[in-house]
Amino acid sequence: FDNKGQYPTFGRVIPSAIGDAYAAVDYLSKLNVTHLAVMFVKDPYGSSYAQAIKEAAGLQPEPMAVTMHPFSFGASDEEIAFEVERLKKSERRYIVGIFFKTELDVVMREASRLGIGGEGYFWLFTDSLSDADDWKFSSTDDAGIISGITGSGVLLTAHPKTRLWRDNTA
């Protein structure tokens, strides 16, 4: 389907994350959030989702101040740690995380170490972390991660049966 000459009428079949981003901002606005951070992987999914969050935040009756904290796709632990440090300096307590399981462990271990996860902070993760296996941690080996994600949430806007159908047809 990548060959536009052979498939000229083929369109995108996976919806964009714009609706999800607006839902996330709407939810956060109901919590009276005025300052928001977005930590995301710089790939087409993460970058477009993050931009949509920033746009939606600016359209609120009381626009939210948003700081962006990107890291490269395939980033080293050091690059991710640098962005988590920048996040800490932003003094944001509400954070949207747009990344995958491979980055979750590094981000939340570092966030916990720096004291910006768990009590007093709210991380809202996107559907990129919706698989149950993304949230399996060892209470002894992953105590820092567990502490950092305590009180966080995952935003899913697709109906579970729709997600099940999509996952089984891939």
Side-chain angles (χ1 to χ4, degrees):
F1 292 116
D2 289 336
N3 184 333
K4 293 192 185 294
Q6 189 174 2
Y7 303 102
T9 60
F10 182 76
R12 182 183 173 113
V13 294
I14 299 171
S16 76
I18 292 172
D20 293 359
Y22 277 71
V25 170
D26 184 55
Y27 174 73
L28 293 167
S29 73
K30 287 177 173 49
L31 300 176
N32 298 316
V33 172
T34 58
H35 294 77
L36 177 66
V38 182
M39 176 161 273
F40 63 99
V41 62
K42 284 191 292 187
D43 69 359
Y45 170 77
S47 297
S48 64
Y49 203 136
Q51 187 59 40
I53 290 216
K54 187 172 184 175
E55 289 171 10
L59 295 173
Q60 293 299 304
E62 294 289 325
M64 292 179 199
V66 179
T67 60
M68 305 291 262
H69 302 274
F71 54 85
S72 304
F73 181 79
S76 66
D77 291 0
E78 293 77 23
E79 181 185 348
I80 294 171
F82 175 80
E83 274 313 312
V84 176
E85 179 71 36
R86 275 192 60 237
L87 174 61
K88 178 183 170 101
K89 290 176 182 173
S90 77
E91 300 184 349
R92 300 297 202 252
R93 295 194 170 272
Y94 291 87
I95 303 121
V96 175
I98 309 168
F99 42 81
F100 302 93
K101 172 66 173 160
T102 52
E103 295 94 12
L104 173 69
D105 295 1
V106 179
V107 168
M108 294 317 295
R109 197 177 312 275
E110 189 67 13
S112 180
R113 187 183 73 76
L114 294 173
I116 59 170
E119 189 174 335
Y121 291 85
F122 180 70
W123 286 76
L124 181 63
F125 300 103
T126 62
D127 64 350
S128 58
L129 291 166
S130 63
D131 187 7
D133 288 340
D134 292 336
W135 301 100
K136 289 182 182 176
F137 297 103
S138 161
S139 60
T140 53
D141 298 335
D142 299 319
I145 297 170
I146 293 168
S147 153
I149 63 173
T150 299
S152 63
V154 179
L155 175 72
L156 297 175
T157 57
H159 188 277
K161 287 184 180 179
T162 304
R163 293 183 63 80
L164 179 63
W165 176 83
R166 182 184 72 204
D167 293 346
N168 287 325
T169 58

